[in-house]
Amino acid sequence: MSVRKPPLNKANLMLQQEAIDAVRGQTLAPRGHFIDGRSIASDSGDVLDIISPIDGAILTSVAAGSKADMDRAITSARAAFEDGLWSKMAPAQRKKILIKLAELIERDALELAVLGVRDNGTEINMAYKAESLSAAGTFRYYGEAIDKIYGQIAPTANSVLGLIHHAPVGVVGAIVPWNFPLMIGSWKIAPALAAGNSIVLKPAESASLSLLHLAKLASEAGVPDGVFNVVTGKGSVVGEAMGLSMDVDVLVFTGSGATGRRLLEYSARSNLKRCYLELGGKSPNIIFNDAPDLAQAAKVSAAGIFRNSGQVCVAGSRLLVQEDIHDDFVAEMSRHAKDFKVGNPLDLSSQIGAVHSLSELEANLQFVQTAQEEGAQCVAGGKRILSETGGYYMAPTVMSGVKVEDNLHQNEVFGPVLAVTPFKDEADAIRIANSTVYGLSAGVWTSNLSRAHRMIEEIKSGVIHVNTYGGSDLTVPLGGVKQSGNGHDKSLHAMDKYFDLKSAWIQL
């Protein structure tokens, strides 16, 4: 498949659509693992069919990894780390290679985006920016950073020299989800590689294609064989093998709380590897009656829950609206929900693409049904649409009258379903915002600067948006509190996971 074209812009949208259309119906060749610098089949020869959410048809297959495959990749990563070709390479040289990789990602940006869209359903306009261009920016950011991170000299007595070194941890195991595999994968791969580590990546079995392509680009950029490996397959097999390995030093993960708990158990049963977990969210988006622009708040809030069919960990899936503006604001949100164009994610005109899988779609619809049984009202959407395509599409859904104790308020849906709950005053908003086990993201809309700062302090969340929702870049960390996890991606703070601190105490 070759769809390398100029970046998306108004001047060449038609050209880009023609390039996308040329490959949209192609069946892709089967993909193997990427281990020790080359593509290989599974040890067993087994494969997993990849079903495209666009039309429900088989797109391709990937290697169904085994424990033997994962062990082989980890052994390769360890050998590459110990030989020092990458781990002991001068930071300035690693920088050159990572920046070269960023350039190659930009070269293949549309190809990578189309691969991702075909196996996870994200609308192409979002995928191009949030996956391909974001990944390129991430590798460039950490490439530029790595030769600017210094050790420290401790404030000791004159007779002693205390040095604090940053040492790479060794082998990093990374497990990433299906919703933004290239973006989230890059948040983990880039800083781990920049720090001098080797990495073994386990993508979601249903969204591996763009990350397998990334591994080949890394090799083309000059990353030595064995330093960056990708093993595809089921989490219950290769994910477990990674978690139980005695030779993985750090494990980083984005995904569900249930899987995160299993990984902590695997760590305890093996070598006590450090685990950094970015888990789910049920993020409150709070609209006060003094929001500076209620129309803008509705527009941004709608995008904050419905883009990518709501399949975003930080999605503003709980809308808390002050009572005196509640009805009008809900009506405006419903209008936006109904106006979104849902359709084939490879069409540049589609604003919302597909739900990732049939099982996810069915789970979303069950949440709607349960919410109605608990007394909520469906004021927009709530149904499967475009079923004649064979794909998995759902109308953006607004559920009003959701109570704090309701299932829809308490549990992550990971779909285009918005739960709306009214609140009385600031104290009530804080109480409702903090009423779940999650603490990943939140939004506050108000013209009162003092209130904004109070909300930032009182809401238990790793990220707080004020008078916007989403859009933060690599300069700030992303991570949660409570059962949203303990790991942080993005920013220089993400580097901490991939270094060991080594103290030297020198008697002079």
Side-chain angles (χ1 to χ4, degrees):
M1 179 178 70
S2 179
V3 289
R4 296 169 186 168
K5 297 292 181 181
L8 294 174
N9 58 55
K10 291 181 180 179
N12 60 34
L13 283 179
M14 186 61 70
L15 175 64
Q16 299 292 21
Q17 188 67 73
E18 290 175 359
I20 295 166
D21 290 345
V23 300
R24 74 163 66 204
Q26 291 179 4
T27 299
L28 303 178
R31 263 58 170 177
H33 308 303
F34 192 86
I35 300 175
D36 203 24
R38 62 192 182 94
S39 180
I40 63 170
S42 175
D43 181 68
S44 66
D46 293 339
V47 298
L48 295 173
D49 287 336
I50 302 302
I51 306 298
S52 175
I54 295 174
D55 55 12
I58 295 175
L59 173 61
T60 185
S61 64
V62 297
S66 63
K67 181 181 183 299
D69 295 318
M70 179 55 71
D71 289 346
R72 179 176 179 179
I74 293 170
T75 298
S76 176
R78 175 60 64 189
F81 180 78
E82 297 299 340
D83 75 17
L85 186 60
W86 182 257
S87 59
K88 296 180 180 179
M89 183 183 289
Q93 183 60 30
R94 291 203 299 270
K95 169 183 176 177
K96 292 179 181 178
I97 292 173
L98 292 180
I99 291 176
K100 176 62 175 177
L101 176 52
E103 293 169 350
L104 293 175
I105 294 170
E106 288 172 338
R107 182 197 71 187
D108 289 4
L110 188 58
E111 183 172 357
L112 284 161
V114 171
L115 280 173
V117 169
R118 295 187 76 188
D119 72 353
N120 81 345
T122 299
E123 52 270 22
I124 186 66
N125 286 295
M126 174 174 275
Y128 186 81
K129 298 172 186 175
E131 288 273 82
S132 301
L133 298 188
S134 171
T138 299
F139 279 97
R140 182 171 283 107
Y141 178 90
Y142 288 106
E144 290 284 1
I146 193 56
D147 61 355
K148 302 171 182 67
I149 296 176
Y150 291 82
Q152 295 172 306
I153 299 176
T156 61
N158 290 337
S159 59
V160 172
L161 177 62
L163 301 177
I164 304 171
H165 296 268
H166 290 96
V169 297
V171 175
V172 174
I175 302 176
V176 299
W178 46 258
N179 58 325
F180 289 103
L182 188 58
M183 178 181 74
I184 296 173
S186 297
W187 288 348
K188 302 180 190 306
I189 300 162
L193 291 181
N197 299 289
S198 295
I199 191 163
V200 179
L201 177 72
K202 190 273 174 197
E205 52 263 41
S206 57
S208 303
L209 303 183
S210 59
L211 289 168
L212 288 167
H213 190 84
L214 176 66
K216 293 180 180 179
L217 294 183
S219 182
E220 183 179 346
V223 175
D225 292 350
V227 170
F228 179 16
N229 307 276
V230 181
V231 179
T232 58
K234 294 183 177 180
S236 59
V237 179
V238 289
E240 179 177 297
M242 177 186 285
L244 290 172
S245 172
M246 299 295 290
D247 216 17
V248 171
D249 300 293
V250 165
L251 184 60
V252 290
F253 168 74
T254 296
S256 72
T259 300
R261 285 180 170 83
R262 284 199 295 273
L263 295 177
L264 290 173
E265 293 173 3
Y266 297 156
S267 172
R269 289 165 54 190
S270 56
N271 62 342
L272 296 177
K273 58 180 66 66
R274 299 199 298 270
C275 294
Y276 298 99
L277 311 174
E278 197 270 276
L279 305 175
K282 190 69 181 179
S283 300
N285 186 21
I286 305 166
I287 315 296
F288 284 96
N289 58 12
D290 67 346
D293 185 339
L294 287 170
Q296 179 69 5
K299 180 180 179 180
V300 173
S301 296
I305 174 60
F306 296 130
R307 295 299 303 275
N308 197 30
S309 291
Q311 298 166 140
V312 183
C313 59
V314 298
S317 56
R318 286 189 295 145
L319 186 70
L320 281 53
V321 187
Q322 199 155 19
E323 287 178 340
D324 57 343
I325 61 169
H326 175 274
D327 291 352
D328 289 343
F329 197 85
V330 171
E332 184 72 359
M333 287 292 291
S334 299
R335 184 183 68 78
H336 283 294
K338 295 171 183 176
D339 285 347
F340 277 116
K341 181 181 178 182
V342 182
N344 189 313
L346 289 174
D347 290 341
L348 289 167
S349 60
S350 294
Q351 296 172 295
I352 296 174
V355 174
H356 178 63
S357 67
L358 181 58
S359 61
E360 290 289 334
L361 175 61
E362 290 173 342
N364 294 345
L365 296 172
Q366 183 60 55
F367 268 104
V368 172
Q369 180 178 330
T370 300
Q372 290 174 314
E373 292 169 354
E374 292 178 337
Q377 299 81 48
C378 182
V379 295
K383 298 179 180 179
R384 179 179 184 176
I385 58 174
L386 304 176
S387 58
E388 70 278 4
T389 67
Y392 315 130
Y393 301 90
M394 182 173 177
T397 299
V398 178
M399 302 298 297
S400 184
V402 177
K403 301 180 293 297
V404 170
E405 64 271 19
D406 287 353
N407 185 51
L408 187 59
H409 183 94
Q410 292 293 329
N411 295 300
E412 185 177 38
V413 178
F414 223 63
V417 183
L418 178 65
V420 185
T421 303
F423 68 88
K424 296 177 182 178
D425 53 24
E426 186 175 316
D428 197 32
I430 292 169
R431 177 187 66 83
I432 296 172
N434 292 334
S435 64
T436 75
V437 299
Y438 297 107
L440 185 56
S441 184
V444 177
W445 297 79
T446 179
S447 295
N448 186 321
L449 183 61
S450 295
R451 170 185 283 157
H453 283 288
R454 288 194 299 269
M455 298 297 286
I456 291 169
E457 183 174 349
E458 294 296 330
I459 294 175
K460 295 179 173 62
S461 181
V463 179
I464 311 286
H465 307 89
V466 178
N467 294 333
T468 188
Y469 201 94
S472 63
D473 63 19
L474 281 169
T475 60
V476 294
L478 170 64
V481 298
K482 301 196 290 184
Q483 292 185 34
S484 286
N486 63 352
H488 286 84
D489 288 325
K490 305 197 306 177
S491 84
L492 293 181
H493 294 281
M495 297 293 296
D496 295 343
K497 302 193 293 289
Y498 306 109
F499 282 124
D500 283 329
L501 292 181
K502 182 180 290 187
S503 296
W505 191 259
I506 306 168
Q507 186 71 46
L508 299 177

